[in-house]
Amino acid sequence: QCTLPLPTASAIEATFTPNPADSVENGGTGGPLPVSMQQRRQLLELEAAIVNSQDPSGTLSHVAGQNGMSPEELAGMLDRNRNDLQDSGQLEGMVGEVNASLQAQQGGGGGGGGAMSGSIPRRVLSLVVSIFAALAKTASVQISRNPKQSTVLAMILVFTFLSVHNAPKNGIVISSGSFPPFSGGHTTVLEPPIDYLERACVNSWEKGGWESSLPEPMEIQSKKSSKSKKKSPQVVGGVGMTGSLELDASDAEEGEVTVETSRSKEEGFALVTTAQTFITMDNNDEGGQEDEEYEEEARDCMYESITAIFQERKFSEFIPGNSGSLKFRSFLVASEEDEEGEDCTEGAVMAVKLLGDFGRYGVQPLCISYEDEEGGESISHCVAFHTLTGGHFDGELRFSVEEKKSSAKGGDLGVVVSVTLAIPKGGRAPPSRLAELMVSSLAQSIATSSQMRMKQTLSRRSQSKGFRARASGRASKKRHMRYVQEKLQEEMAAERKRKWKRNNPDAGHYRPSGHRLKHPHNC
């Protein structure tokens, strides 16, 4: 058996006696401060609570009385705590923690709704300010290190912001007019909104009116032949010069757009491009039989649709998707002297892709030249617009429809839609392929709009007639059924009356009192 020695322990008993010289009454500082940093933090929280209270002096006295101290002793302890932390370099960090904990306590309290609502915007604002400050600091450092790259990056950012801002408004304008040799006319990078185009033309009108871009008119003598009579000279270059152009509509075919471009065929013109198509009125598919009444109604519907399209200037309503982007809008502007708005001038604007600088969207302002409409039995309508300054070409654009018979379909009655772009000599001309694309797209759009409106009008009229026919048939059937029922009831009543008279000798003898089958003397 072995025995283990017990460990020996030693202890020191110490007592702490406050130094009377540390008391505030004797001119001291109040004694030593606690060593624990948690207690130091609690002293800072207490100081912040006293300072933020409504009555700081009253709160100080109350807290000092609760802890058996005088207000002077408590204030000296708080000041010594702050000075000691400031000397050690721990004051700023601890003050930030104390403020954050106080805000959290105020936000989480039952009556802290106002504190919460006020603290969240401040936090968001401080976050945004800190982000911008960090970006500014980073940018300044980057600029100081790489000035050239920073300049290029700043220009790219500015260009990006401007593009995002201007793209939906005006399509990012490159040039607002014609400035040769740098710019051929009004050009935008992206497809411009139609409202911007109209607003630009109206602003140009308000600044001083519109100016035609056509060259000065000149007379061209037509070529003489032995069989032809002497013709009057043709005026080329002025407003309304396309009125004397004669077009051959014999090549127009249904469902196809025929384009013809000539540079030397017409005297005095540098370029004449015409697109034609034929619209038939033979849309009667009800049994395949010819109906004169239906043909007359189809002709009326076609006349109404074409008249509406030309009055509303719906020339680019159905531009084909494979022909690029093309927009056309017509509008009216009133002069400043005309207060009632009766004296108006009609203008138009057209935006075409590949027409502008660098192959972008070119804007071409237009003004009406003339409009002819022949009423009566034949359908004929013509309207022309001439170019204004600030565009990309100088010429006149004519839209026309004329009622003719098709030679390809055995003389079927129809309408020839034609669009002509004429550029006089001395004027700027667009590329031939682009001119053909413009006139063919407009001709196909007008033809599609006319056919669609005609079919819609015919459908509404046929539905209306069918409804009236069905309603009339139902009313006739009801009247016939009522007549048959009344006739059967009358025949039945006559038969019953005949049988009753035959079997009853006193039939037909009635008393005024209403009692039947009684003898007159039997009272």
PDB file of all heavy atoms in Angstrom, residues 86-121:
ATOM      1  N   GLN A  86      -9.943  57.607 -25.435  1.00  0.00           N
ATOM      2  CA  GLN A  86      -9.382  58.414 -26.517  1.00  0.00           C
ATOM      3  C   GLN A  86      -7.862  58.345 -26.526  1.00  0.00           C
ATOM      4  O   GLN A  86      -7.237  58.300 -27.583  1.00  0.00           O
ATOM      5  CB  GLN A  86      -9.860  59.862 -26.375  1.00  0.00           C
ATOM      6  CG  GLN A  86      -9.451  60.762 -27.548  1.00  0.00           C
ATOM      7  CD  GLN A  86     -10.070  62.137 -27.425  1.00  0.00           C
ATOM      8  OE1 GLN A  86     -10.757  62.430 -26.437  1.00  0.00           O
ATOM      9  NE2 GLN A  86      -9.827  62.977 -28.411  1.00  0.00           N
ATOM     10  N   ASP A  87      -7.261  58.310 -25.327  1.00  0.00           N
ATOM     11  CA  ASP A  87      -5.800  58.195 -25.275  1.00  0.00           C
ATOM     12  C   ASP A  87      -5.316  56.848 -25.784  1.00  0.00           C
ATOM     13  O   ASP A  87      -4.248  56.743 -26.404  1.00  0.00           O
ATOM     14  CB  ASP A  87      -5.321  58.410 -23.834  1.00  0.00           C
ATOM     15  CG  ASP A  87      -5.588  59.838 -23.356  1.00  0.00           C
ATOM     16  OD1 ASP A  87      -5.765  60.729 -24.239  1.00  0.00           O
ATOM     17  OD2 ASP A  87      -5.679  60.061 -22.128  1.00  0.00           O
ATOM     18  N   SER A  88      -6.103  55.825 -25.533  1.00  0.00           N
ATOM     19  CA  SER A  88      -5.713  54.485 -25.986  1.00  0.00           C
ATOM     20  C   SER A  88      -6.088  54.208 -27.447  1.00  0.00           C
ATOM     21  O   SER A  88      -5.753  53.144 -27.969  1.00  0.00           O
ATOM     22  CB  SER A  88      -6.347  53.422 -25.091  1.00  0.00           C
ATOM     23  OG  SER A  88      -7.763  53.486 -25.162  1.00  0.00           O
ATOM     24  N   GLY A  89      -6.829  55.107 -28.116  1.00  0.00           N
ATOM     25  CA  GLY A  89      -7.209  54.926 -29.517  1.00  0.00           C
ATOM     26  C   GLY A  89      -8.403  54.010 -29.736  1.00  0.00           C
ATOM     27  O   GLY A  89      -8.651  53.580 -30.868  1.00  0.00           O
ATOM     28  N   GLN A  90      -9.159  53.693 -28.711  1.00  0.00           N
ATOM     29  CA  GLN A  90     -10.309  52.790 -28.817  1.00  0.00           C
ATOM     30  C   GLN A  90     -11.640  53.517 -28.775  1.00  0.00           C
ATOM     31  O   GLN A  90     -12.693  52.878 -28.799  1.00  0.00           O
ATOM     32  CB  GLN A  90     -10.267  51.769 -27.672  1.00  0.00           C
ATOM     33  CG  GLN A  90      -9.016  50.909 -27.667  1.00  0.00           C
ATOM     34  CD  GLN A  90      -8.977  49.969 -26.479  1.00  0.00           C
ATOM     35  OE1 GLN A  90      -9.832  50.056 -25.595  1.00  0.00           O
ATOM     36  NE2 GLN A  90      -7.978  49.100 -26.437  1.00  0.00           N
ATOM     37  N   LEU A  91     -11.610  54.827 -28.714  1.00  0.00           N
ATOM     38  CA  LEU A  91     -12.859  55.574 -28.540  1.00  0.00           C
ATOM     39  C   LEU A  91     -13.736  55.510 -29.783  1.00  0.00           C
ATOM     40  O   LEU A  91     -14.948  55.270 -29.682  1.00  0.00           O
ATOM     41  CB  LEU A  91     -12.540  57.031 -28.177  1.00  0.00           C
ATOM     42  CG  LEU A  91     -13.762  57.938 -27.970  1.00  0.00           C
ATOM     43  CD1 LEU A  91     -14.595  57.448 -26.800  1.00  0.00           C
ATOM     44  CD2 LEU A  91     -13.316  59.386 -27.742  1.00  0.00           C
ATOM     45  N   GLU A  92     -13.173  55.731 -30.986  1.00  0.00           N
ATOM     46  CA  GLU A  92     -13.996  55.798 -32.209  1.00  0.00           C
ATOM     47  C   GLU A  92     -14.701  54.483 -32.486  1.00  0.00           C
ATOM     48  O   GLU A  92     -15.894  54.448 -32.780  1.00  0.00           O
ATOM     49  CB  GLU A  92     -13.105  56.182 -33.393  1.00  0.00           C
ATOM     50  CG  GLU A  92     -12.518  57.580 -33.290  1.00  0.00           C
ATOM     51  CD  GLU A  92     -11.686  57.939 -34.498  1.00  0.00           C
ATOM     52  OE1 GLU A  92     -11.586  57.079 -35.404  1.00  0.00           O
ATOM     53  OE2 GLU A  92     -11.135  59.047 -34.547  1.00  0.00           O
ATOM     54  N   GLY A  93     -13.962  53.373 -32.383  1.00  0.00           N
ATOM     55  CA  GLY A  93     -14.595  52.084 -32.649  1.00  0.00           C
ATOM     56  C   GLY A  93     -15.688  51.756 -31.661  1.00  0.00           C
ATOM     57  O   GLY A  93     -16.761  51.261 -32.012  1.00  0.00           O
ATOM     58  N   MET A  94     -15.431  52.050 -30.382  1.00  0.00           N
ATOM     59  CA  MET A  94     -16.424  51.721 -29.364  1.00  0.00           C
ATOM     60  C   MET A  94     -17.643  52.639 -29.471  1.00  0.00           C
ATOM     61  O   MET A  94     -18.782  52.215 -29.235  1.00  0.00           O
ATOM     62  CB  MET A  94     -15.778  51.817 -27.976  1.00  0.00           C
ATOM     63  CG  MET A  94     -16.572  51.152 -26.875  1.00  0.00           C
ATOM     64  SD  MET A  94     -15.653  51.019 -25.339  1.00  0.00           S
ATOM     65  CE  MET A  94     -14.403  49.840 -25.806  1.00  0.00           C
ATOM     66  N   VAL A  95     -17.433  53.903 -29.822  1.00  0.00           N
ATOM     67  CA  VAL A  95     -18.561  54.830 -30.007  1.00  0.00           C
ATOM     68  C   VAL A  95     -19.449  54.367 -31.164  1.00  0.00           C
ATOM     69  O   VAL A  95     -20.680  54.420 -31.101  1.00  0.00           O
ATOM     70  CB  VAL A  95     -18.048  56.263 -30.226  1.00  0.00           C
ATOM     71  CG1 VAL A  95     -19.184  57.170 -30.705  1.00  0.00           C
ATOM     72  CG2 VAL A  95     -17.474  56.821 -28.938  1.00  0.00           C
ATOM     73  N   GLY A  96     -18.842  53.895 -32.267  1.00  0.00           N
ATOM     74  CA  GLY A  96     -19.641  53.370 -33.384  1.00  0.00           C
ATOM     75  C   GLY A  96     -20.469  52.166 -32.991  1.00  0.00           C
ATOM     76  O   GLY A  96     -21.645  52.051 -33.360  1.00  0.00           O
ATOM     77  N   GLU A  97     -19.874  51.261 -32.192  1.00  0.00           N
ATOM     78  CA  GLU A  97     -20.643  50.096 -31.737  1.00  0.00           C
ATOM     79  C   GLU A  97     -21.787  50.511 -30.828  1.00  0.00           C
ATOM     80  O   GLU A  97     -22.894  49.955 -30.899  1.00  0.00           O
ATOM     81  CB  GLU A  97     -19.707  49.135 -31.002  1.00  0.00           C
ATOM     82  CG  GLU A  97     -18.631  48.518 -31.905  1.00  0.00           C
ATOM     83  CD  GLU A  97     -17.696  47.624 -31.117  1.00  0.00           C
ATOM     84  OE1 GLU A  97     -17.900  47.523 -29.887  1.00  0.00           O
ATOM     85  OE2 GLU A  97     -16.779  47.031 -31.730  1.00  0.00           O
ATOM     86  N   VAL A  98     -21.535  51.484 -29.954  1.00  0.00           N
ATOM     87  CA  VAL A  98     -22.585  51.948 -29.038  1.00  0.00           C
ATOM     88  C   VAL A  98     -23.726  52.597 -29.816  1.00  0.00           C
ATOM     89  O   VAL A  98     -24.910  52.337 -29.548  1.00  0.00           O
ATOM     90  CB  VAL A  98     -21.971  52.929 -28.010  1.00  0.00           C
ATOM     91  CG1 VAL A  98     -23.077  53.626 -27.216  1.00  0.00           C
ATOM     92  CG2 VAL A  98     -21.049  52.186 -27.055  1.00  0.00           C
ATOM     93  N   ASN A  99     -23.427  53.436 -30.810  1.00  0.00           N
ATOM     94  CA  ASN A  99     -24.483  54.074 -31.613  1.00  0.00           C
ATOM     95  C   ASN A  99     -25.293  53.043 -32.393  1.00  0.00           C
ATOM     96  O   ASN A  99     -26.518  53.151 -32.503  1.00  0.00           O
ATOM     97  CB  ASN A  99     -23.867  55.093 -32.567  1.00  0.00           C
ATOM     98  CG  ASN A  99     -23.263  56.278 -31.832  1.00  0.00           C
ATOM     99  OD1 ASN A  99     -23.690  56.618 -30.718  1.00  0.00           O
ATOM    100  ND2 ASN A  99     -22.258  56.909 -32.433  1.00  0.00           N
ATOM    101  N   ALA A 100     -24.621  52.041 -32.956  1.00  0.00           N
ATOM    102  CA  ALA A 100     -25.331  51.003 -33.701  1.00  0.00           C
ATOM    103  C   ALA A 100     -26.263  50.213 -32.793  1.00  0.00           C
ATOM    104  O   ALA A 100     -27.410  49.894 -33.162  1.00  0.00           O
ATOM    105  CB  ALA A 100     -24.330  50.064 -34.375  1.00  0.00           C
ATOM    106  N   SER A 101     -25.798  49.886 -31.588  1.00  0.00           N
ATOM    107  CA  SER A 101     -26.658  49.135 -30.664  1.00  0.00           C
ATOM    108  C   SER A 101     -27.844  49.968 -30.202  1.00  0.00           C
ATOM    109  O   SER A 101     -28.969  49.465 -30.081  1.00  0.00           O
ATOM    110  CB  SER A 101     -25.834  48.679 -29.450  1.00  0.00           C
ATOM    111  OG  SER A 101     -25.337  49.816 -28.734  1.00  0.00           O
ATOM    112  N   LEU A 102     -27.627  51.270 -29.979  1.00  0.00           N
ATOM    113  CA  LEU A 102     -28.749  52.135 -29.592  1.00  0.00           C
ATOM    114  C   LEU A 102     -29.780  52.247 -30.703  1.00  0.00           C
ATOM    115  O   LEU A 102     -30.994  52.209 -30.444  1.00  0.00           O
ATOM    116  CB  LEU A 102     -28.213  53.522 -29.214  1.00  0.00           C
ATOM    117  CG  LEU A 102     -27.409  53.609 -27.900  1.00  0.00           C
ATOM    118  CD1 LEU A 102     -26.898  55.025 -27.687  1.00  0.00           C
ATOM    119  CD2 LEU A 102     -28.280  53.175 -26.710  1.00  0.00           C
ATOM    120  N   GLN A 103     -29.345  52.396 -31.965  1.00  0.00           N
ATOM    121  CA  GLN A 103     -30.296  52.461 -33.089  1.00  0.00           C
ATOM    122  C   GLN A 103     -31.060  51.162 -33.238  1.00  0.00           C
ATOM    123  O   GLN A 103     -32.254  51.162 -33.525  1.00  0.00           O
ATOM    124  CB  GLN A 103     -29.538  52.784 -34.380  1.00  0.00           C
ATOM    125  CG  GLN A 103     -28.993  54.203 -34.450  1.00  0.00           C
ATOM    126  CD  GLN A 103     -28.278  54.472 -35.758  1.00  0.00           C
ATOM    127  OE1 GLN A 103     -28.194  53.597 -36.602  1.00  0.00           O
ATOM    128  NE2 GLN A 103     -27.736  55.684 -35.899  1.00  0.00           N
ATOM    129  N   ALA A 104     -30.387  50.040 -33.024  1.00  0.00           N
ATOM    130  CA  ALA A 104     -31.080  48.749 -33.117  1.00  0.00           C
ATOM    131  C   ALA A 104     -32.121  48.620 -32.015  1.00  0.00           C
ATOM    132  O   ALA A 104     -33.233  48.111 -32.239  1.00  0.00           O
ATOM    133  CB  ALA A 104     -30.064  47.611 -33.036  1.00  0.00           C
ATOM    134  N   GLN A 105     -31.788  49.080 -30.811  1.00  0.00           N
ATOM    135  CA  GLN A 105     -32.750  49.010 -29.720  1.00  0.00           C
ATOM    136  C   GLN A 105     -33.956  49.904 -29.980  1.00  0.00           C
ATOM    137  O   GLN A 105     -35.093  49.543 -29.716  1.00  0.00           O
ATOM    138  CB  GLN A 105     -32.064  49.394 -28.413  1.00  0.00           C
ATOM    139  CG  GLN A 105     -31.036  48.372 -27.929  1.00  0.00           C
ATOM    140  CD  GLN A 105     -30.322  48.834 -26.668  1.00  0.00           C
ATOM    141  OE1 GLN A 105     -30.661  49.901 -26.121  1.00  0.00           O
ATOM    142  NE2 GLN A 105     -29.340  48.064 -26.209  1.00  0.00           N
ATOM    143  N   GLN A 106     -33.689  51.103 -30.524  1.00  0.00           N
ATOM    144  CA  GLN A 106     -34.808  52.007 -30.833  1.00  0.00           C
ATOM    145  C   GLN A 106     -35.674  51.470 -31.949  1.00  0.00           C
ATOM    146  O   GLN A 106     -36.890  51.592 -31.926  1.00  0.00           O
ATOM    147  CB  GLN A 106     -34.260  53.385 -31.215  1.00  0.00           C
ATOM    148  CG  GLN A 106     -33.596  54.122 -30.060  1.00  0.00           C
ATOM    149  CD  GLN A 106     -33.002  55.433 -30.488  1.00  0.00           C
ATOM    150  OE1 GLN A 106     -33.081  55.793 -31.668  1.00  0.00           O
ATOM    151  NE2 GLN A 106     -32.408  56.164 -29.552  1.00  0.00           N
ATOM    152  N   GLY A 107     -35.058  50.847 -32.972  1.00  0.00           N
ATOM    153  CA  GLY A 107     -35.830  50.284 -34.083  1.00  0.00           C
ATOM    154  C   GLY A 107     -36.621  49.070 -33.675  1.00  0.00           C
ATOM    155  O   GLY A 107     -37.691  48.793 -34.211  1.00  0.00           O
ATOM    156  N   GLY A 108     -36.168  48.265 -32.751  1.00  0.00           N
ATOM    157  CA  GLY A 108     -36.876  47.045 -32.354  1.00  0.00           C
ATOM    158  C   GLY A 108     -37.875  47.240 -31.260  1.00  0.00           C
ATOM    159  O   GLY A 108     -38.587  46.298 -30.890  1.00  0.00           O
ATOM    160  N   GLY A 109     -37.984  48.439 -30.681  1.00  0.00           N
ATOM    161  CA  GLY A 109     -38.931  48.667 -29.604  1.00  0.00           C
ATOM    162  C   GLY A 109     -40.346  48.736 -30.084  1.00  0.00           C
ATOM    163  O   GLY A 109     -40.650  48.832 -31.268  1.00  0.00           O
ATOM    164  N   GLY A 110     -41.312  48.647 -29.147  1.00  0.00           N
ATOM    165  CA  GLY A 110     -42.729  48.654 -29.508  1.00  0.00           C
ATOM    166  C   GLY A 110     -43.159  49.968 -30.100  1.00  0.00           C
ATOM    167  O   GLY A 110     -43.941  50.007 -31.037  1.00  0.00           O
ATOM    168  N   GLY A 111     -42.667  51.084 -29.613  1.00  0.00           N
ATOM    169  CA  GLY A 111     -43.064  52.381 -30.150  1.00  0.00           C
ATOM    170  C   GLY A 111     -42.017  52.965 -31.043  1.00  0.00           C
ATOM    171  O   GLY A 111     -41.939  54.176 -31.189  1.00  0.00           O
ATOM    172  N   GLY A 112     -41.210  52.142 -31.670  1.00  0.00           N
ATOM    173  CA  GLY A 112     -40.109  52.637 -32.488  1.00  0.00           C
ATOM    174  C   GLY A 112     -40.406  52.660 -33.952  1.00  0.00           C
ATOM    175  O   GLY A 112     -39.507  52.446 -34.767  1.00  0.00           O
ATOM    176  N   GLY A 113     -41.672  52.803 -34.377  1.00  0.00           N
ATOM    177  CA  GLY A 113     -41.997  52.838 -35.803  1.00  0.00           C
ATOM    178  C   GLY A 113     -41.397  54.033 -36.494  1.00  0.00           C
ATOM    179  O   GLY A 113     -40.875  53.939 -37.600  1.00  0.00           O
ATOM    180  N   GLY A 114     -41.427  55.200 -35.824  1.00  0.00           N
ATOM    181  CA  GLY A 114     -40.847  56.389 -36.430  1.00  0.00           C
ATOM    182  C   GLY A 114     -39.350  56.289 -36.557  1.00  0.00           C
ATOM    183  O   GLY A 114     -38.757  56.727 -37.537  1.00  0.00           O
ATOM    184  N   ALA A 115     -38.695  55.641 -35.543  1.00  0.00           N
ATOM    185  CA  ALA A 115     -37.251  55.468 -35.627  1.00  0.00           C
ATOM    186  C   ALA A 115     -36.874  54.543 -36.760  1.00  0.00           C
ATOM    187  O   ALA A 115     -35.886  54.749 -37.459  1.00  0.00           O
ATOM    188  CB  ALA A 115     -36.720  54.931 -34.292  1.00  0.00           C
ATOM    189  N   MET A 116     -37.687  53.472 -36.931  1.00  0.00           N
ATOM    190  CA  MET A 116     -37.402  52.536 -38.006  1.00  0.00           C
ATOM    191  C   MET A 116     -37.557  53.203 -39.361  1.00  0.00           C
ATOM    192  O   MET A 116     -36.717  53.054 -40.251  1.00  0.00           O
ATOM    193  CB  MET A 116     -38.346  51.337 -37.895  1.00  0.00           C
ATOM    194  CG  MET A 116     -38.246  50.356 -39.042  1.00  0.00           C
ATOM    195  SD  MET A 116     -36.628  49.578 -39.166  1.00  0.00           S
ATOM    196  CE  MET A 116     -36.741  48.463 -37.783  1.00  0.00           C
ATOM    197  N   SER A 117     -38.673  53.957 -39.521  1.00  0.00           N
ATOM    198  CA  SER A 117     -38.900  54.597 -40.810  1.00  0.00           C
ATOM    199  C   SER A 117     -37.858  55.664 -41.105  1.00  0.00           C
ATOM    200  O   SER A 117     -37.550  55.940 -42.253  1.00  0.00           O
ATOM    201  CB  SER A 117     -40.305  55.214 -40.841  1.00  0.00           C
ATOM    202  OG  SER A 117     -40.405  56.209 -39.828  1.00  0.00           O
ATOM    203  N   GLY A 118     -37.303  56.271 -40.036  1.00  0.00           N
ATOM    204  CA  GLY A 118     -36.284  57.266 -40.268  1.00  0.00           C
ATOM    205  C   GLY A 118     -34.903  56.667 -40.475  1.00  0.00           C
ATOM    206  O   GLY A 118     -34.049  57.258 -41.106  1.00  0.00           O
ATOM    207  N   SER A 119     -34.654  55.507 -39.901  1.00  0.00           N
ATOM    208  CA  SER A 119     -33.329  54.918 -40.000  1.00  0.00           C
ATOM    209  C   SER A 119     -33.100  54.232 -41.339  1.00  0.00           C
ATOM    210  O   SER A 119     -31.979  54.241 -41.861  1.00  0.00           O
ATOM    211  CB  SER A 119     -33.119  53.913 -38.862  1.00  0.00           C
ATOM    212  OG  SER A 119     -34.054  52.851 -38.968  1.00  0.00           O
ATOM    213  N   ILE A 120     -34.140  53.631 -41.924  1.00  0.00           N
ATOM    214  CA  ILE A 120     -33.973  52.920 -43.198  1.00  0.00           C
ATOM    215  C   ILE A 120     -33.574  53.872 -44.325  1.00  0.00           C
ATOM    216  O   ILE A 120     -32.610  53.598 -45.050  1.00  0.00           O
ATOM    217  CB  ILE A 120     -35.256  52.149 -43.541  1.00  0.00           C
ATOM    218  CG1 ILE A 120     -35.434  50.970 -42.572  1.00  0.00           C
ATOM    219  CG2 ILE A 120     -35.208  51.635 -44.972  1.00  0.00           C
ATOM    220  CD1 ILE A 120     -36.691  50.183 -42.791  1.00  0.00           C
ATOM    221  N   PRO A 121     -34.234  55.022 -44.545  1.00  0.00           N
ATOM    222  CA  PRO A 121     -33.751  55.938 -45.595  1.00  0.00           C
ATOM    223  C   PRO A 121     -32.328  56.423 -45.348  1.00  0.00           C
ATOM    224  O   PRO A 121     -31.550  56.582 -46.295  1.00  0.00           O
ATOM    225  CB  PRO A 121     -34.765  57.095 -45.544  1.00  0.00           C
ATOM    226  CG  PRO A 121     -35.984  56.502 -44.960  1.00  0.00           C
ATOM    227  CD  PRO A 121     -35.504  55.495 -43.981  1.00  0.00           C
TER     228      PRO A 121
END
